[in-house]
Amino acid sequence: MGATLGVLGAGSILPRVGYGCAGYALRAEAGGPVTLLDCGPGSIRNLATLGIGVGEVRRVVFSHYHLDHCLDLFALAFARHNPALGAVGELELVGPRGLRARVEGAPGVLGHWAAMPAAKVVEVEPGEAFEREGLRWRSTANGHTPEALSWRVEPAAGGWSLVYTGDTGPDVRVVELARGADTLLCECSFPEEQAVANHLTPTSAAEMARAAGVRRLILTHFYPSLDPAEAGRKAARIFDGPIDVACDGRVFEL
Ligand SMILES: [Zn+2]
Ligand SMILES: [Zn+2]
């Protein structure tokens, strides 16, 4: 199997069976290191659902710091202190500005178990690109919060590309980032009648996918008021490529 994206949480902070807080596990090659895209509460527990060990997590890339996207960073820190794990390798933490303050401040609030001595913190500015282990990463600001980013990742050698919106409202910068991408992993928080400016609905998610000309759309980040299957049907009226609907534990091939 080639690159895979496993869903650790396809829901929101509001409890819903089968849809936990935001977290995704990207593996560029079978048996290779794992990068988490966001790490909301429950993400670390759900690694087991996907058969991923804590020690396999090499990197966490954050979209923003709403707690449904980042709180399990500290559960990960605690887990990495567990003697059962033995020696853990370096962990790289990548995110928008504010990451260092959170990592350095955590032990003062949560105790020394929240310290991450082997973690390298990288704060990125919107638009800044970097490359790791043959993967190219690029981001854009999306206005969901002042710091929030959407991410695009693809092998330098080509083959696939993934855009993760994080949380966003309709935003041309995200459309540009996603231009021609293979897979758009797109937040779809609320039904149309509950639309808000800084989140998407099935219609606005599908409109972004269509405007960007992506090949495939995966809807995720469902609040309890939204029926995922219905969201997929609504999106299909606008976007005519394949549409998948995420739920916890699903694994998508990229
Ligand atoms: Zn958010
Ligand atoms: Zn969120």
mmCIF file of all heavy atoms in Angstrom, residues 179-223:
data_model
loop_
_atom_site.group_PDB
_atom_site.id
_atom_site.type_symbol
_atom_site.label_atom_id
_atom_site.label_comp_id
_atom_site.label_asym_id
_atom_site.label_seq_id
_atom_site.Cartn_x
_atom_site.Cartn_y
_atom_site.Cartn_z
ATOM 1 N N ARG A 179 -5.733 24.203 -5.451
ATOM 2 C CA ARG A 179 -5.859 24.177 -6.918
ATOM 3 C C ARG A 179 -5.289 22.875 -7.496
ATOM 4 O O ARG A 179 -4.114 22.568 -7.333
ATOM 5 C CB ARG A 179 -5.125 25.398 -7.486
ATOM 6 C CG ARG A 179 -5.126 25.535 -8.982
ATOM 7 C CD ARG A 179 -6.445 26.032 -9.541
ATOM 8 N NE ARG A 179 -6.854 27.344 -9.027
ATOM 9 C CZ ARG A 179 -8.139 27.771 -9.025
ATOM 10 N NH1 ARG A 179 -9.098 26.989 -9.487
ATOM 11 N NH2 ARG A 179 -8.434 28.958 -8.553
ATOM 12 N N GLY A 180 -6.145 22.106 -8.166
ATOM 13 C CA GLY A 180 -5.702 20.893 -8.867
ATOM 14 C C GLY A 180 -5.264 19.750 -7.961
ATOM 15 O O GLY A 180 -4.690 18.769 -8.455
ATOM 16 N N ALA A 181 -5.529 19.853 -6.672
ATOM 17 C CA ALA A 181 -5.063 18.796 -5.753
ATOM 18 C C ALA A 181 -5.838 17.496 -5.988
ATOM 19 O O ALA A 181 -6.958 17.489 -6.493
ATOM 20 C CB ALA A 181 -5.211 19.239 -4.305
ATOM 21 N N ASP A 182 -5.190 16.447 -5.590
ATOM 22 C CA ASP A 182 -5.752 15.109 -5.701
ATOM 23 C C ASP A 182 -6.921 14.918 -4.723
ATOM 24 O O ASP A 182 -8.009 14.512 -5.097
ATOM 25 C CB ASP A 182 -4.609 14.175 -5.297
ATOM 26 C CG ASP A 182 -4.668 12.883 -6.042
ATOM 27 O OD1 ASP A 182 -5.225 12.859 -7.139
ATOM 28 O OD2 ASP A 182 -4.164 11.899 -5.481
ATOM 29 N N THR A 183 -6.646 15.200 -3.446
ATOM 30 C CA THR A 183 -7.627 14.977 -2.382
ATOM 31 C C THR A 183 -7.778 16.241 -1.545
ATOM 32 O O THR A 183 -6.786 16.795 -1.082
ATOM 33 C CB THR A 183 -7.178 13.829 -1.456
ATOM 34 O OG1 THR A 183 -7.038 12.639 -2.227
ATOM 35 C CG2 THR A 183 -8.191 13.589 -0.344
ATOM 36 N N LEU A 184 -9.018 16.678 -1.364
ATOM 37 C CA LEU A 184 -9.310 17.786 -0.458
ATOM 38 C C LEU A 184 -10.033 17.226 0.754
ATOM 39 O O LEU A 184 -11.170 16.738 0.647
ATOM 40 C CB LEU A 184 -10.188 18.838 -1.158
ATOM 41 C CG LEU A 184 -10.645 20.016 -0.299
ATOM 42 C CD1 LEU A 184 -9.458 20.832 0.209
ATOM 43 C CD2 LEU A 184 -11.616 20.911 -1.075
ATOM 44 N N LEU A 185 -9.341 17.248 1.891
ATOM 45 C CA LEU A 185 -9.931 16.845 3.168
ATOM 46 C C LEU A 185 -10.523 18.113 3.765
ATOM 47 O O LEU A 185 -9.788 18.986 4.233
ATOM 48 C CB LEU A 185 -8.854 16.250 4.077
ATOM 49 C CG LEU A 185 -9.276 15.879 5.496
ATOM 50 C CD1 LEU A 185 -10.310 14.769 5.501
ATOM 51 C CD2 LEU A 185 -8.043 15.463 6.318
ATOM 52 N N CYS A 186 -11.840 18.214 3.719
ATOM 53 C CA CYS A 186 -12.483 19.515 3.895
ATOM 54 C C CYS A 186 -13.449 19.502 5.065
ATOM 55 O O CYS A 186 -14.323 18.640 5.159
ATOM 56 C CB CYS A 186 -13.241 19.843 2.607
ATOM 57 S SG CYS A 186 -13.817 21.532 2.518
ATOM 58 N N GLU A 187 -13.280 20.485 5.915
ATOM 59 C CA GLU A 187 -14.214 20.593 7.030
ATOM 60 C C GLU A 187 -15.626 20.871 6.513
ATOM 61 O O GLU A 187 -15.812 21.509 5.470
ATOM 62 C CB GLU A 187 -13.762 21.694 7.989
ATOM 63 C CG GLU A 187 -14.093 23.108 7.559
ATOM 64 C CD GLU A 187 -14.997 23.804 8.571
ATOM 65 O OE1 GLU A 187 -16.218 23.509 8.522
ATOM 66 O OE2 GLU A 187 -14.508 24.610 9.366
ATOM 67 N N CYS A 188 -16.600 20.362 7.241
ATOM 68 C CA CYS A 188 -18.006 20.507 6.838
ATOM 69 C C CYS A 188 -18.796 20.500 8.144
ATOM 70 O O CYS A 188 -19.404 19.516 8.515
ATOM 71 C CB CYS A 188 -18.373 19.327 5.938
ATOM 72 S SG CYS A 188 -20.043 19.388 5.292
ATOM 73 N N SER A 189 -18.757 21.627 8.848
ATOM 74 C CA SER A 189 -19.198 21.655 10.241
ATOM 75 C C SER A 189 -20.702 21.602 10.422
ATOM 76 O O SER A 189 -21.215 20.863 11.263
ATOM 77 C CB SER A 189 -18.664 22.913 10.930
ATOM 78 O OG SER A 189 -17.266 22.861 11.066
ATOM 79 N N PHE A 190 -21.420 22.438 9.642
ATOM 80 C CA PHE A 190 -22.829 22.677 9.961
ATOM 81 C C PHE A 190 -23.723 22.529 8.732
ATOM 82 O O PHE A 190 -23.280 22.777 7.612
ATOM 83 C CB PHE A 190 -23.000 24.103 10.515
ATOM 84 C CG PHE A 190 -22.231 24.352 11.782
ATOM 85 C CD1 PHE A 190 -21.204 25.280 11.808
ATOM 86 C CD2 PHE A 190 -22.541 23.668 12.949
ATOM 87 C CE1 PHE A 190 -20.489 25.520 12.976
ATOM 88 C CE2 PHE A 190 -21.835 23.904 14.121
ATOM 89 C CZ PHE A 190 -20.803 24.826 14.139
ATOM 90 N N PRO A 191 -25.002 22.180 8.956
ATOM 91 C CA PRO A 191 -25.951 22.219 7.840
ATOM 92 C C PRO A 191 -26.199 23.660 7.394
ATOM 93 O O PRO A 191 -25.893 24.601 8.130
ATOM 94 C CB PRO A 191 -27.219 21.585 8.433
ATOM 95 C CG PRO A 191 -27.080 21.694 9.903
ATOM 96 C CD PRO A 191 -25.610 21.741 10.215
ATOM 97 N N GLU A 192 -26.765 23.792 6.205
ATOM 98 C CA GLU A 192 -26.905 25.126 5.588
ATOM 99 C C GLU A 192 -27.620 26.115 6.512
ATOM 100 O O GLU A 192 -27.225 27.279 6.601
ATOM 101 C CB GLU A 192 -27.687 25.037 4.274
ATOM 102 C CG GLU A 192 -27.274 23.902 3.338
ATOM 103 C CD GLU A 192 -25.819 23.961 2.918
ATOM 104 O OE1 GLU A 192 -25.245 25.068 2.899
ATOM 105 O OE2 GLU A 192 -25.260 22.883 2.625
ATOM 106 N N GLU A 193 -28.651 25.642 7.210
ATOM 107 C CA GLU A 193 -29.456 26.570 8.015
ATOM 108 C C GLU A 193 -28.717 27.066 9.255
ATOM 109 O O GLU A 193 -29.160 27.995 9.912
ATOM 110 C CB GLU A 193 -30.805 25.926 8.399
ATOM 111 C CG GLU A 193 -30.710 24.662 9.227
ATOM 112 C CD GLU A 193 -30.548 23.390 8.386
ATOM 113 O OE1 GLU A 193 -30.172 23.502 7.204
ATOM 114 O OE2 GLU A 193 -30.799 22.296 8.930
ATOM 115 N N GLN A 194 -27.557 26.450 9.565
ATOM 116 C CA GLN A 194 -26.751 26.920 10.701
ATOM 117 C C GLN A 194 -25.420 27.522 10.239
ATOM 118 O O GLN A 194 -24.465 27.584 11.001
ATOM 119 C CB GLN A 194 -26.478 25.764 11.660
ATOM 120 C CG GLN A 194 -27.736 25.254 12.357
ATOM 121 C CD GLN A 194 -27.498 23.974 13.141
ATOM 122 O OE1 GLN A 194 -26.386 23.472 13.217
ATOM 123 N NE2 GLN A 194 -28.553 23.428 13.717
ATOM 124 N N ALA A 195 -25.350 27.905 8.985
ATOM 125 C CA ALA A 195 -24.091 28.409 8.415
ATOM 126 C C ALA A 195 -23.533 29.583 9.224
ATOM 127 O O ALA A 195 -24.281 30.459 9.654
ATOM 128 C CB ALA A 195 -24.319 28.840 6.975
ATOM 129 N N VAL A 196 -22.199 29.565 9.464
ATOM 130 C CA VAL A 196 -21.511 30.683 10.100
ATOM 131 C C VAL A 196 -20.335 31.062 9.204
ATOM 132 O O VAL A 196 -19.932 30.288 8.334
ATOM 133 C CB VAL A 196 -20.998 30.323 11.518
ATOM 134 C CG1 VAL A 196 -22.155 30.068 12.473
ATOM 135 C CG2 VAL A 196 -20.068 29.126 11.476
ATOM 136 N N ALA A 197 -19.780 32.250 9.447
ATOM 137 C CA ALA A 197 -18.765 32.774 8.524
ATOM 138 C C ALA A 197 -17.472 31.971 8.549
ATOM 139 O O ALA A 197 -16.782 31.868 7.525
ATOM 140 C CB ALA A 197 -18.485 34.234 8.857
ATOM 141 N N ASN A 198 -17.106 31.397 9.700
ATOM 142 C CA ASN A 198 -15.774 30.780 9.777
ATOM 143 C C ASN A 198 -15.817 29.248 9.791
ATOM 144 O O ASN A 198 -14.892 28.602 10.279
ATOM 145 C CB ASN A 198 -14.974 31.333 10.954
ATOM 146 C CG ASN A 198 -15.571 30.962 12.299
ATOM 147 O OD1 ASN A 198 -16.711 30.514 12.374
ATOM 148 N ND2 ASN A 198 -14.795 31.142 13.360
ATOM 149 N N HIS A 199 -16.892 28.675 9.283
ATOM 150 C CA HIS A 199 -16.957 27.228 9.043
ATOM 151 C C HIS A 199 -17.665 26.993 7.711
ATOM 152 O O HIS A 199 -18.254 27.921 7.131
ATOM 153 C CB HIS A 199 -17.728 26.520 10.169
ATOM 154 C CG HIS A 199 -16.924 26.299 11.412
ATOM 155 N ND1 HIS A 199 -15.844 25.436 11.467
ATOM 156 C CD2 HIS A 199 -17.044 26.840 12.657
ATOM 157 C CE1 HIS A 199 -15.347 25.443 12.697
ATOM 158 N NE2 HIS A 199 -16.040 26.288 13.441
ATOM 159 N N LEU A 200 -17.627 25.738 7.257
ATOM 160 C CA LEU A 200 -18.253 25.386 5.981
ATOM 161 C C LEU A 200 -19.496 24.535 6.192
ATOM 162 O O LEU A 200 -19.672 23.902 7.246
ATOM 163 C CB LEU A 200 -17.258 24.627 5.099
ATOM 164 C CG LEU A 200 -16.003 25.401 4.691
ATOM 165 C CD1 LEU A 200 -15.037 24.495 3.927
ATOM 166 C CD2 LEU A 200 -16.360 26.624 3.851
ATOM 167 N N THR A 201 -20.330 24.519 5.175
ATOM 168 C CA THR A 201 -21.514 23.657 5.103
ATOM 169 C C THR A 201 -21.280 22.696 3.926
ATOM 170 O O THR A 201 -20.317 22.870 3.169
ATOM 171 C CB THR A 201 -22.764 24.502 4.817
ATOM 172 O OG1 THR A 201 -22.635 25.061 3.498
ATOM 173 C CG2 THR A 201 -22.931 25.622 5.839
ATOM 174 N N PRO A 202 -22.143 21.697 3.736
ATOM 175 C CA PRO A 202 -21.967 20.823 2.567
ATOM 176 C C PRO A 202 -21.871 21.606 1.262
ATOM 177 O O PRO A 202 -21.047 21.303 0.397
ATOM 178 C CB PRO A 202 -23.217 19.940 2.615
ATOM 179 C CG PRO A 202 -23.584 19.890 4.069
ATOM 180 C CD PRO A 202 -23.237 21.238 4.610
ATOM 181 N N THR A 203 -22.706 22.642 1.133
ATOM 182 C CA THR A 203 -22.699 23.434 -0.103
ATOM 183 C C THR A 203 -21.409 24.222 -0.265
ATOM 184 O O THR A 203 -20.771 24.173 -1.321
ATOM 185 C CB THR A 203 -23.912 24.405 -0.112
ATOM 186 O OG1 THR A 203 -25.101 23.622 -0.101
ATOM 187 C CG2 THR A 203 -23.900 25.288 -1.335
ATOM 188 N N SER A 204 -20.986 24.925 0.793
ATOM 189 C CA SER A 204 -19.777 25.750 0.631
ATOM 190 C C SER A 204 -18.525 24.893 0.524
ATOM 191 O O SER A 204 -17.567 25.264 -0.171
ATOM 192 C CB SER A 204 -19.656 26.787 1.759
ATOM 193 O OG SER A 204 -19.715 26.189 3.034
ATOM 194 N N ALA A 205 -18.521 23.702 1.161
ATOM 195 C CA ALA A 205 -17.380 22.793 0.998
ATOM 196 C C ALA A 205 -17.298 22.298 -0.442
ATOM 197 O O ALA A 205 -16.222 22.285 -1.054
ATOM 198 C CB ALA A 205 -17.519 21.603 1.959
ATOM 199 N N ALA A 206 -18.449 21.921 -0.996
ATOM 200 C CA ALA A 206 -18.468 21.420 -2.382
ATOM 201 C C ALA A 206 -18.112 22.517 -3.367
ATOM 202 O O ALA A 206 -17.443 22.273 -4.378
ATOM 203 C CB ALA A 206 -19.844 20.839 -2.696
ATOM 204 N N GLU A 207 -18.550 23.745 -3.072
ATOM 205 C CA GLU A 207 -18.207 24.869 -3.959
ATOM 206 C C GLU A 207 -16.698 25.117 -3.963
ATOM 207 O O GLU A 207 -16.108 25.416 -5.006
ATOM 208 C CB GLU A 207 -18.962 26.133 -3.524
ATOM 209 C CG GLU A 207 -20.421 26.096 -3.943
ATOM 210 C CD GLU A 207 -21.278 27.204 -3.333
ATOM 211 O OE1 GLU A 207 -20.798 27.916 -2.417
ATOM 212 O OE2 GLU A 207 -22.437 27.327 -3.763
ATOM 213 N N MET A 208 -16.068 24.975 -2.808
ATOM 214 C CA MET A 208 -14.604 25.137 -2.765
ATOM 215 C C MET A 208 -13.913 24.040 -3.561
ATOM 216 O O MET A 208 -12.959 24.293 -4.284
ATOM 217 C CB MET A 208 -14.113 25.129 -1.309
ATOM 218 C CG MET A 208 -14.320 26.473 -0.633
ATOM 219 S SD MET A 208 -13.699 26.541 1.049
ATOM 220 C CE MET A 208 -11.985 26.308 0.781
ATOM 221 N N ALA A 209 -14.398 22.800 -3.403
ATOM 222 C CA ALA A 209 -13.796 21.680 -4.143
ATOM 223 C C ALA A 209 -13.925 21.896 -5.643
ATOM 224 O O ALA A 209 -12.979 21.669 -6.409
ATOM 225 C CB ALA A 209 -14.470 20.373 -3.725
ATOM 226 N N ARG A 210 -15.103 22.361 -6.068
ATOM 227 C CA ARG A 210 -15.333 22.596 -7.499
ATOM 228 C C ARG A 210 -14.468 23.750 -8.006
ATOM 229 O O ARG A 210 -13.826 23.642 -9.058
ATOM 230 C CB ARG A 210 -16.816 22.916 -7.743
ATOM 231 C CG ARG A 210 -17.161 23.091 -9.217
ATOM 232 C CD ARG A 210 -18.642 23.290 -9.424
ATOM 233 N NE ARG A 210 -19.109 24.540 -8.813
ATOM 234 C CZ ARG A 210 -20.387 24.921 -8.778
ATOM 235 N NH1 ARG A 210 -21.318 24.148 -9.304
ATOM 236 N NH2 ARG A 210 -20.725 26.053 -8.209
ATOM 237 N N ALA A 211 -14.401 24.842 -7.239
ATOM 238 C CA ALA A 211 -13.607 25.999 -7.664
ATOM 239 C C ALA A 211 -12.126 25.652 -7.760
ATOM 240 O O ALA A 211 -11.412 26.164 -8.625
ATOM 241 C CB ALA A 211 -13.812 27.150 -6.672
ATOM 242 N N ALA A 212 -11.660 24.772 -6.882
ATOM 243 C CA ALA A 212 -10.233 24.409 -6.876
ATOM 244 C C ALA A 212 -9.917 23.327 -7.900
ATOM 245 O O ALA A 212 -8.745 23.077 -8.196
ATOM 246 C CB ALA A 212 -9.829 23.930 -5.474
ATOM 247 N N GLY A 213 -10.936 22.672 -8.424
ATOM 248 C CA GLY A 213 -10.700 21.615 -9.409
ATOM 249 C C GLY A 213 -9.980 20.419 -8.827
ATOM 250 O O GLY A 213 -9.140 19.806 -9.489
ATOM 251 N N VAL A 214 -10.320 20.059 -7.593
ATOM 252 C CA VAL A 214 -9.680 18.881 -6.979
ATOM 253 C C VAL A 214 -10.294 17.619 -7.575
ATOM 254 O O VAL A 214 -11.373 17.637 -8.163
ATOM 255 C CB VAL A 214 -9.830 18.872 -5.435
ATOM 256 C CG1 VAL A 214 -9.218 20.144 -4.846
ATOM 257 C CG2 VAL A 214 -11.284 18.728 -5.012
ATOM 258 N N ARG A 215 -9.576 16.526 -7.433
ATOM 259 C CA ARG A 215 -10.071 15.264 -7.986
ATOM 260 C C ARG A 215 -11.126 14.646 -7.068
ATOM 261 O O ARG A 215 -12.133 14.143 -7.521
ATOM 262 C CB ARG A 215 -8.902 14.282 -8.171
ATOM 263 C CG ARG A 215 -9.317 12.977 -8.889
ATOM 264 C CD ARG A 215 -8.167 11.986 -8.964
ATOM 265 N NE ARG A 215 -7.789 11.447 -7.661
ATOM 266 C CZ ARG A 215 -8.445 10.487 -7.008
ATOM 267 N NH1 ARG A 215 -9.534 9.961 -7.517
ATOM 268 N NH2 ARG A 215 -8.009 10.056 -5.832
ATOM 269 N N ARG A 216 -10.846 14.653 -5.762
ATOM 270 C CA ARG A 216 -11.704 13.954 -4.796
ATOM 271 C C ARG A 216 -11.930 14.826 -3.571
ATOM 272 O O ARG A 216 -11.016 15.527 -3.111
ATOM 273 C CB ARG A 216 -11.014 12.649 -4.365
ATOM 274 C CG ARG A 216 -11.642 12.005 -3.142
ATOM 275 C CD ARG A 216 -11.066 10.649 -2.829
ATOM 276 N NE ARG A 216 -9.675 10.710 -2.435
ATOM 277 C CZ ARG A 216 -9.042 9.729 -1.791
ATOM 278 N NH1 ARG A 216 -9.678 8.608 -1.501
ATOM 279 N NH2 ARG A 216 -7.777 9.842 -1.471
ATOM 280 N N LEU A 217 -13.112 14.722 -3.015
ATOM 281 C CA LEU A 217 -13.476 15.491 -1.816
ATOM 282 C C LEU A 217 -13.785 14.526 -0.676
ATOM 283 O O LEU A 217 -14.561 13.580 -0.845
ATOM 284 C CB LEU A 217 -14.716 16.341 -2.135
ATOM 285 C CG LEU A 217 -15.376 17.093 -0.978
ATOM 286 C CD1 LEU A 217 -14.428 18.129 -0.382
ATOM 287 C CD2 LEU A 217 -16.669 17.771 -1.462
ATOM 288 N N ILE A 218 -13.133 14.751 0.466
ATOM 289 C CA ILE A 218 -13.476 14.006 1.683
ATOM 290 C C ILE A 218 -14.031 15.016 2.685
ATOM 291 O O ILE A 218 -13.340 15.965 3.067
ATOM 292 C CB ILE A 218 -12.255 13.285 2.295
ATOM 293 C CG1 ILE A 218 -11.619 12.322 1.289
ATOM 294 C CG2 ILE A 218 -12.669 12.530 3.562
ATOM 295 C CD1 ILE A 218 -10.335 11.646 1.799
ATOM 296 N N LEU A 219 -15.259 14.812 3.098
ATOM 297 C CA LEU A 219 -15.884 15.710 4.077
ATOM 298 C C LEU A 219 -15.596 15.208 5.490
ATOM 299 O O LEU A 219 -15.597 13.995 5.744
ATOM 300 C CB LEU A 219 -17.388 15.773 3.844
ATOM 301 C CG LEU A 219 -17.828 16.318 2.478
ATOM 302 C CD1 LEU A 219 -19.344 16.214 2.327
ATOM 303 C CD2 LEU A 219 -17.371 17.761 2.291
ATOM 304 N N THR A 220 -15.398 16.153 6.422
ATOM 305 C CA THR A 220 -15.072 15.779 7.804
ATOM 306 C C THR A 220 -15.445 16.921 8.756
ATOM 307 O O THR A 220 -16.006 17.924 8.343
ATOM 308 C CB THR A 220 -13.573 15.426 7.913
ATOM 309 O OG1 THR A 220 -13.321 14.838 9.193
ATOM 310 C CG2 THR A 220 -12.684 16.655 7.740
ATOM 311 N N HIS A 221 -15.126 16.748 10.054
ATOM 312 C CA HIS A 221 -15.379 17.769 11.087
ATOM 313 C C HIS A 221 -16.864 18.095 11.190
ATOM 314 O O HIS A 221 -17.286 19.244 11.097
ATOM 315 C CB HIS A 221 -14.549 19.032 10.791
ATOM 316 C CG HIS A 221 -14.368 19.932 11.993
ATOM 317 N ND1 HIS A 221 -15.293 20.880 12.349
ATOM 318 C CD2 HIS A 221 -13.379 20.035 12.905
ATOM 319 C CE1 HIS A 221 -14.871 21.524 13.426
ATOM 320 N NE2 HIS A 221 -13.719 21.022 13.785
ATOM 321 N N PHE A 222 -17.641 17.037 11.433
ATOM 322 C CA PHE A 222 -19.094 17.181 11.495
ATOM 323 C C PHE A 222 -19.558 17.474 12.919
ATOM 324 O O PHE A 222 -19.274 16.717 13.844
ATOM 325 C CB PHE A 222 -19.761 15.876 11.053
ATOM 326 C CG PHE A 222 -19.312 15.389 9.694
ATOM 327 C CD1 PHE A 222 -18.659 14.168 9.567
ATOM 328 C CD2 PHE A 222 -19.548 16.145 8.559
ATOM 329 C CE1 PHE A 222 -18.253 13.705 8.326
ATOM 330 C CE2 PHE A 222 -19.148 15.690 7.306
ATOM 331 C CZ PHE A 222 -18.501 14.467 7.193
ATOM 332 N N TYR A 223 -20.284 18.560 13.089
ATOM 333 C CA TYR A 223 -20.970 18.792 14.364
ATOM 334 C C TYR A 223 -22.198 17.877 14.443
ATOM 335 O O TYR A 223 -22.683 17.400 13.416
ATOM 336 C CB TYR A 223 -21.373 20.270 14.481
ATOM 337 C CG TYR A 223 -20.264 21.115 15.069
ATOM 338 C CD1 TYR A 223 -19.200 21.538 14.276
ATOM 339 C CD2 TYR A 223 -20.258 21.458 16.408
ATOM 340 C CE1 TYR A 223 -18.158 22.285 14.815
ATOM 341 C CE2 TYR A 223 -19.226 22.206 16.957
ATOM 342 C CZ TYR A 223 -18.184 22.613 16.153
ATOM 343 O OH TYR A 223 -17.162 23.345 16.704
#
